[in-house]
Amino acid sequence: MPPAHPFDDDKLKEECGIFGVVGVTDAANFVALGLHALQHRGQEAGGIVSHDSDQGFNSARRFGYVRDNFTSQSLMQTLPGPIAIGHVRYSTAGSKGPTQIRDVQPFFGEFSMGGAAIAHNGNITNADALRRELIERGSIFQSSSDSECIIHLMARSLQRNIPERMEDALRRVEGAFSVVAMTRTKLIGVRDPLGVRPLVLGKVADGWALSSETCGLDIIGAEYVREIEPGEMVVITAEKGVESLRPFRPQKSRFCIFEHVYFSRPDSIIGNRSVYETRRQIGVELAREAPVEADLVCPVPDSGTPAAIGFAHESGIPYGMGIVRNQYMGRTFIEPTEQIRNMGVRLKLNVNRALIRGKRVILVDDSVVRGTTSRKIKEMILDAGAAEVHFRIASPPTAWPCFYGVDTPQREKLLAATMSEDEMRDHLQVDSLRFISLDGLYRAVGEAEGRNPRQPQYCDACFSGEYPVEPADQIQKGFKLKTAAE
Ligand code: SF4
């Protein structure tokens, strides 16, 4: 599967997708399909754990795409049983060193009352402190993953069953987490009290499914039931169905607003809203906030497409595919010579010259992170004979790193951390550059009054610098929170 965006090195990247099924024959096959639908959330590696009453727990963890590993009959035969969970992960290489297969989830732990496997999406903001404490008390870590802390905390809990041990463990964990876990008979789903990362529940035949997004339910023919609510734990068995628990102190939800802008698939539903429709509406808001005289609205494919459609509709300026993506340009392409490597984005995108020549072009993209690719795209459009280039960006300036399960460059590398909008326009050498406002983005996701500054309805820390959970480990490492003057 090609990456979700052709410029993977200049985009924020979701780090994980999780999926689980109980109550169906050969559950692992359903999980493989679900993970395939969630591949945009992590392309580096994937894993599945299943349980069968004869064979006990089985697991397979592999580097690479789901379709290249979990379609092999010989592998899938090693994962029998009516319950299974799985995980896809994005590489965090560079920020945490190269991934080893032992870092690939789900993680498994054997407890006195039986085994349990867990798959985690998000980031534990006090993981360093927890890991230090656990190691001092005798825990032996197998991986470099923060998520393994949950297994060790469960091992130390004195509760008598696995769901209660998980509650105990997750009460110690700070940050963002959606978790899918399993015992021999129970499928468990949990969202952190703020509900930063997504998790949805579906019904499939006589069984149940949990998925990061609804597109994972669609692929297995499951009916979407509802979202797991922030702070909710569901314990699901084939016989008794879904039991809902509330292990955490209730808090106001702070779902990741960037899921609407970029991470989730456009065919997913979030908060009863179509992601595609929200993105189209972002384009509408952007056209209202930042109109410009031009001849053509072009998306930067593929993630800028719905916003470009909305922009064109609202502005009345014709929409056109001014940039065409090479669908077969995967990340494994070997660029044989320095000369070809330097061609950079031209390997991935081509300009539709006949459409662009002589036109004043509005380019709609989902975000600007480092700005390196925006500049290259602008050059390609001008080389093709465009008269003017105007950038319109479907998210506010990304000026702060995310510490909740999204890989972001260090703050200094974010263009918006060091430059104003006008400075970025000059840096990119374009005729105009405008980002949607934070209020405009909130309106597009359905908050008619915009952002409530006293109690923001979403997590928007990467735009606002207001972190709903203090990133304790990062502060310890020297990260500076926003000051009152900023
Ligand atoms: S900081 Fe940004 S990317 Fe991270 S959870 Fe919050 S809104 Fe999402």
Side-chain angles (χ1 to χ4, degrees), residues 196-197 256-258 263 402 404 406 459-462:
V196 176
R197 303 254 72 86
C256 166
I257 204 163
F258 222 135
F263 301 133
C402 172
Y404 306 134
V406 171
C459 175
D460 54 28
C462 49

Side-chain angles (χ1 to χ4, degrees), residues 353-421:
R353 286 172 177 271
L355 188 66
I356 295 286
R357 194 172 301 121
K359 302 239 172 73
R360 296 169 298 173
V361 179
I362 301 170
L363 286 174
V364 180
D365 202 354
D366 54 75
S367 57
V368 172
V369 179
R370 292 183 173 92
T372 44
T373 49
S374 308
R375 220 172 141 149
K376 287 177 189 158
I377 291 170
K378 179 245 6 187
E379 280 161 16
M380 285 170 64
I381 295 284
L382 285 179
D383 285 353
E388 292 174 14
V389 179
H390 302 271
F391 261 109
R392 291 295 178 270
I393 309 299
S395 58
T398 309
W400 296 86
C402 172
F403 301 121
Y404 306 134
V406 171
D407 193 46
T408 8
Q410 287 171 326
R411 181 141 201 253
E412 314 78 77
K413 304 253 172 67
L414 297 168
L415 202 62
T418 52
M419 292 185 195
S420 68
E421 201 167 280

Side-chain angles (χ1 to χ4, degrees), residues 259-437:
E259 290 278 352
H260 286 287
V261 176
Y262 175 62
F263 301 133
S264 293
R265 257 175 53 167
D267 50 338
S268 282
I269 306 286
I270 298 178
N272 295 322
R273 290 175 67 83
S274 141
V275 174
Y276 172 85
E277 185 47 37
T278 295
R279 288 182 191 164
R280 206 189 71 85
Q281 195 56 38
I282 292 173
V284 169
E285 287 287 340
L286 198 45
R288 287 177 189 155
E289 286 187 351
V292 58
E293 279 195 22
D295 306 307
L296 187 68
V297 178
C298 284
V300 176
D302 293 325
S303 45
T305 303
I309 291 170
F311 194 107
H313 181 83
E314 181 65 17
S315 63
I317 300 169
Y319 170 91
M321 295 275 288
I323 302 172
V324 177
R325 181 153 78 93
N326 179 356
Q327 300 292 339
Y328 299 99
M329 179 64 210
R331 57 171 58 202
T332 52
F333 193 89
I334 296 164
E335 295 161 7
T337 67
E338 190 64 27
Q339 191 188 4
I340 290 183
R341 268 195 296 279
N342 288 340
M343 289 163 77
V345 298
R346 286 173 203 273
L347 295 173
K348 301 169 182 174
L349 295 181
N350 198 17
V351 175
N352 183 350
R353 286 172 177 271
L355 188 66
I356 295 286
R357 194 172 301 121
K359 302 239 172 73
R360 296 169 298 173
V361 179
I362 301 170
L363 286 174
V364 180
D365 202 354
D366 54 75
S367 57
V368 172
V369 179
R370 292 183 173 92
T372 44
T373 49
S374 308
R375 220 172 141 149
K376 287 177 189 158
I377 291 170
K378 179 245 6 187
E379 280 161 16
M380 285 170 64
I381 295 284
L382 285 179
D383 285 353
E388 292 174 14
V389 179
H390 302 271
F391 261 109
R392 291 295 178 270
I393 309 299
S395 58
T398 309
W400 296 86
C402 172
F403 301 121
Y404 306 134
V406 171
D407 193 46
T408 8
Q410 287 171 326
R411 181 141 201 253
E412 314 78 77
K413 304 253 172 67
L414 297 168
L415 202 62
T418 52
M419 292 185 195
S420 68
E421 201 167 280
D422 286 349
E423 287 167 338
M424 284 191 269
R425 179 202 58 210
D426 295 345
H427 172 80
L428 298 175
Q429 297 172 351
V430 288
D431 293 283
S432 74
L433 166 72
R434 292 289 299 277
F435 295 77
I436 194 169
S437 68

